[in-house]
Amino acid sequence: MTALTEFATMYREREMLSLRTRLLFTFGAVAALHIAAVVLLLVGAAGAAQPLALGLVVTAYVAGIKHSYDWDHIAAIDNSTRKFVAQHKDPVSVGFAFSLGHSSVVILAGLLVVAGATLIGQFMEDGTTGNKVLGLIGSGVSGLFLMVMGLFNGAAFVRATQVYRKVQAGGEARQEDLEATGLVARLLAKPLSKVQRPRNIYVIGFLFGLGFDTATTIGLLVITTTASLAGVSPLALMALPLAFTAAMTLCDSVNGVAMMKMYTSAIHNPQRKLGFNAVITGISAVSALFIAVITLGGFVNAAFELQDPLTTWLGSIDLGDAGLILVGLFVLAWAVSAVRHRTADSRT
């Protein structure tokens, strides 16, 4: 009981822990998800069913890696991380919290399917009322959240650009000069006041996942396996959504920590990295607004059953692999900045 009390106290005061300790907790949780998936597979799969169950788990794991690089994941995590860093926080668990919330829908769907709940099939079948309602919730929340974060970081981008031009003209940069100010920042202050800590992103991730884009993949896989392979036990089947979750939380956690380091480097060293700060903030803002327009366009099309070419086209866009382009842009910006600063240091 004492150990549980100490753990609860540590959790409440986790923001006072060192960065290294919080990183260990975050990636320790990711490791625990991997271990849980392996244990379920080993305990649940036996005999002739074991090779097939292993193959399905590997498939689910690869699907989790692929989904973690969807553009909406990258945009939501990167824009949220930039907001927390601007508030002088070290948001080590933004990626983990968002991914865990998103994949909680997958785990819940997997549990219901394995338990034999036929109702879940209605939510995963295209064209049904349940699927449409949850899809509208997921797309509506994700579109609005990305729109708000895009506008907030867009205001920060404008501010960073102004400061960069002032420094280029011979002026000096101050830390507060890089904070988002003006009408947009004031208008968004109240909506964003509810997102104060990385754990708040869990709810955002969960609502993102209600569109059943990820749950459909794993859910149908579980349904197919259950129907065709009586030799695979429910425990082994539950290893599928857990493997999916483990892979997605790993990739999203790494992405979140990498973006935290990148933004911290840019914001906390404004004199040397004003240009870099402006570029990566601009990329985050544009990506969020871009995805928000696509998502909300699809939302309007589905909600009002429109047939116009614009919203129909927006609703049909698949950006599943486009997140890699966004990651590439961030890496390119970081590499160019590193080379430029190294060159500048060698000349002095």
Side-chain angles (χ1 to χ4, degrees):
M1 192 67 179
T2 304
L4 290 176
T5 304
E6 291 178 355
F7 185 82
T9 302
M10 183 181 296
Y11 177 79
R12 288 193 298 268
E13 299 176 354
R14 61 194 176 282
E15 293 182 359
M16 304 299 294
L17 299 174
S18 66
L19 178 62
R20 181 179 180 181
T21 301
R22 283 182 287 147
L23 282 170
L24 287 174
F25 270 108
T26 298
F27 286 97
V30 172
L33 287 170
H34 282 75
I35 293 171
V38 172
V39 169
L40 283 176
L41 175 63
L42 294 178
V43 173
Q50 187 170 3
L52 183 56
L54 176 60
L56 292 173
V57 168
V58 171
T59 301
Y61 192 86
V62 173
I65 294 175
K66 181 180 181 297
H67 189 75
S68 69
Y69 289 102
D70 278 9
W71 198 310
D72 62 339
H73 269 240
I74 304 296
I77 293 169
D78 293 350
N79 278 266
S80 301
T81 299
R82 200 250 174 239
K83 173 187 179 294
F84 289 127
V85 171
Q87 295 173 339
H88 309 291
K89 298 176 181 178
D90 293 319
V92 299
S93 58
V94 167
F96 177 78
F98 178 87
S99 187
L100 188 63
H102 200 73
S103 55
S104 291
V105 178
V106 180
I107 295 176
L108 179 60
L111 281 170
L112 292 175
V113 169
V114 171
T118 57
L119 179 65
I120 193 64
Q122 299 178 15
F123 293 120
M124 293 188 291
E125 184 179 346
D126 287 338
T128 62
T129 301
N131 179 269
K132 183 176 180 180
V133 170
L134 290 182
L136 289 175
I137 293 174
S139 60
V141 169
S142 61
L144 289 174
F145 179 75
L146 289 174
M147 180 67 73
V148 170
M149 294 304 298
L151 291 173
F152 178 82
N153 286 329
F157 167 71
V158 172
R159 185 68 171 167
T161 303
Q162 292 172 343
V163 175
Y164 177 74
R165 290 175 178 173
K166 183 179 74 172
V167 172
Q168 291 294 97
E172 293 185 359
R174 297 173 299 174
Q175 183 91 17
E176 55 269 23
D177 288 337
L178 296 177
E179 297 177 0
T181 58
L183 177 62
V184 173
R186 290 196 296 271
L187 288 175
L188 298 178
K190 188 171 183 180
L192 290 178
S193 64
K194 302 298 182 181
V195 186
Q196 290 293 327
R197 293 175 176 82
R199 66 174 178 270
N200 300 137
I201 303 298
Y202 173 88
V203 178
I204 302 296
F206 184 87
L207 294 175
F208 266 52
L210 286 180
F212 271 80
D213 52 344
T214 58
T216 299
T217 303
I218 300 303
L220 290 179
L221 184 59
V222 173
I223 291 173
T224 302
T225 307
T226 306
S228 61
L229 300 171
V232 179
S233 72
L235 285 178
L237 292 176
M238 278 311 303
L240 299 177
L242 269 181
F244 181 91
T245 300
M248 195 159 61
T249 54
L250 174 61
C251 295
D252 283 345
S253 296
V254 171
N255 173 51
V257 171
M259 291 310 302
M260 179 193 72
K261 293 291 186 181
M262 191 177 293
Y263 281 122
T264 301
S265 174
I267 292 179
H268 292 176
N269 192 359
Q271 193 66 40
R272 292 192 59 187
K273 300 189 177 181
L274 280 173
F276 176 57
N277 177 64
V279 169
I280 60 173
T281 302
I283 293 173
S284 287
V286 170
S287 67
L289 293 173
F290 178 62
I291 299 302
V293 169
I294 293 175
T295 303
L296 292 176
F299 171 85
V300 172
N301 181 267
F304 299 101
E305 300 182 347
L306 302 179
Q307 300 298 324
D308 67 290
L310 179 58
T311 60
T312 300
W313 174 67
L314 290 173
S316 65
I317 294 176
D318 183 9
L319 293 171
D321 297 324
L324 291 174
I325 299 175
L326 185 57
V327 173
L329 288 175
F330 283 120
V331 172
L332 179 62
W334 174 82
V336 170
S337 175
V339 170
R340 289 183 62 183
H341 289 147
R342 184 173 298 177
T343 303
D345 289 340
S346 64
R347 291 176 179 174
T348 58

